[in-house]
Amino acid sequence: MVDGRLSHWLIILVYTLILLKTEGINIGITYVETAVAKGAVCLDGSPPACHLDKGIGAGINNWLVRIEGGGWCNNVTDCLSRSNNRLGSSKHMEKEVAFSGMLSNEQKFNPDFYNWNRIVVRYCDGASFTGDVEAVNPATNLHFRGARVFLAIIEDLLAKGMKNAQNAILSGCSAGGLATILHCDKFRTLIPVGAKVKCLSDAGYFIHIKDVSGGKHIEAIYNEVVALHGSSKNLPESCTSRLNPALCFFPQYMARKIQTPLFIINAAYDTWQINNSLVPGVADPHGTWLSCKLDIYNRSTSQLQIMQSFRLQFLNAVSGLGSSTSRGLFVDSCYSHCQTGMQETWLGADSPMLGNTTIAKAVGDWYYDRSAFQKIDCPYPCNPTCHNNIFK
């Protein structure tokens, strides 16, 4: 029998290693000590942290803020586990991380953003920076303060020069991509009036679906996250005023109301969602999906049909964004998760493309208003440029 919880954490570990070990320059960690007095702390009470590579030349007043991903913790046991690792404590975070892809400082690899101030915000609250519970149970010492952490880090960056920003992007991958969507308009209000502000979510468009057994696994997780972390008050009121707050973790129910320009990058066969929303371990007790989940080339005909149905549900959910040209959309038919932080998928000789356009070019053209970009790929396996994830 496959242990669903173990499978879930192994997958998160693999994605984390992929994101942290990509080629690029290594940037040291900065602890935001001033946040502690505001109660803006990680799960274990340690100060939040980020990595900052300062802009140069024409990019000195341009700021790219990228929120790290890493799933969520939806119960005390899970959050306690996180409080003893890098996803819940800055004490356990790597002292350096590699900046690559959209974070690269080389013009040939990142032509539109290489000379910007580039920041990685470390993820240590377990709720996409939405929680805020004042009380701390002395038996666990868990601090659910993600919303305060987000604000404290932005305030720290403003003090470091972002108060003079002319251009700014809030971005993120996975749970950080969801945080980007949820905090997009808030971020815009914190940046100086007159600056060009846009948001970019990479693999953060998690959809509301039933799993292969008919269960509501991902909805149940979000319900527990919102209840445990006290997230309701920090989710968009345009959504919480009409729906169960947990549903407002699904972008399909709230992203249309976002006023700030927003670009969505997502694989139509998002590996995290297929592994954890569509086929979580609890819905596959005999492990019949395990081989397929590890390598899409090992799928059966019936499994591919189910994944094609997932793609259609994803496209239907994305349609809720609306057709405004301020919305960017790059939905490829790859089996992957997070494509902007790795050089090979952001901009390389064989990077994924839609309409002969790489992700880097699509994003740059959209941000600088050179041209709009809203493209959806044909169904798998039609795109030979895909970098499909294979887990070993």
Side-chain angles (χ1 to χ4, degrees), residues 67-78:
I67 304 174
E68 182 184 29
W72 310 274
C73 62
N74 56 311
N75 56 57
V76 169
T77 300
D78 279 352

Side-chain angles (χ1 to χ4, degrees), residues 172-312:
C173 151
S174 193
L178 176 59
T180 296
I181 296 172
L182 294 172
H183 293 290
C184 181
D185 279 344
K186 175 69 173 179
F187 178 75
R188 179 177 53 84
T189 66
L190 297 171
I191 302 300
V193 175
K196 178 194 284 283
V197 181
K198 298 188 179 185
C199 302
L200 168 69
S201 173
D202 179 9
Y205 207 93
F206 297 91
I207 65 170
H208 187 204
I209 59 168
K210 292 182 179 179
D211 61 46
V212 291
S213 72
K216 298 180 179 180
H217 184 71
I218 188 65
E219 180 183 335
I221 286 177
Y222 282 173
N223 266 302
E224 292 167 355
V225 169
V226 169
L228 180 65
H229 291 260
S231 300
S232 298
K233 58 182 173 292
N234 295 309
L235 296 171
E237 188 177 356
S238 61
C239 181
T240 57
S241 63
R242 57 189 176 83
L243 294 174
N244 172 2
L247 294 180
C248 300
F249 250 58
F250 294 106
Q252 68 202 78
Y253 298 126
M254 49 71 62
R256 192 182 187 97
K257 296 289 187 178
I258 293 173
Q259 297 179 1
T260 309
L262 173 67
F263 198 113
I264 300 295
I265 297 169
N266 232 100
Y269 307 89
D270 183 276
T271 49
W272 195 95
Q273 294 195 60
I274 287 175
N275 278 271
N276 296 282
S277 299
L278 182 65
V279 196
V282 293
D284 183 32
H286 302 294
T288 56
W289 276 81
L290 183 58
S291 179
C292 174
K293 288 163 71 172
L294 293 174
D295 183 350
I296 194 172
Y297 299 109
N298 293 331
R299 86 286 179 190
S300 68
T301 300
S302 62
Q303 287 170 336
L304 181 58
Q305 288 175 342
I306 291 171
M307 286 193 287
Q308 299 292 26
S309 176
F310 170 84
R311 171 182 176 270
L312 293 177

Side-chain angles (χ1 to χ4, degrees), residues 2-11 74-75 77-78 281-282:
V2 176
D3 187 325
R5 187 175 299 279
L6 178 60
S7 175
H8 168 80
W9 284 107
L10 284 175
I11 290 166
N74 56 311
N75 56 57
T77 300
D78 279 352
V282 293

Side-chain angles (χ1 to χ4, degrees), residues 64-85:
L64 169 59
V65 180
R66 181 179 174 87
I67 304 174
E68 182 184 29
W72 310 274
C73 62
N74 56 311
N75 56 57
V76 169
T77 300
D78 279 352
C79 291
L80 276 173
S81 177
R82 279 183 178 242
S83 70
N84 290 301
N85 65 48

Side-chain angles (χ1 to χ4, degrees), residues 26 34 54 74 78 89 94 98 101 109 121 152 159 165 171 214 240 250 269 284 345 373:
N26 291 325
T34 56
K54 293 185 177 180
N74 56 311
D78 279 352
S89 170
E94 302 81 355
F109 294 138
V121 175
S171 69
T240 57
F250 294 106
Y269 307 89
D284 183 32
T345 47
F373 194 94

Side-chain angles (χ1 to χ4, degrees), residues 61-63 116 158 161-169 187-199 260-261 367 369:
N61 288 321
N62 300 336
W63 293 76
W116 286 34
L158 289 168
M162 197 164 68
K163 65 180 181 296
N164 300 314
Q166 296 172 350
N167 293 284
I169 295 176
F187 178 75
R188 179 177 53 84
T189 66
L190 297 171
I191 302 300
V193 175
K196 178 194 284 283
V197 181
K198 298 188 179 185
C199 302
T260 309
Y367 182 80
D369 301 313

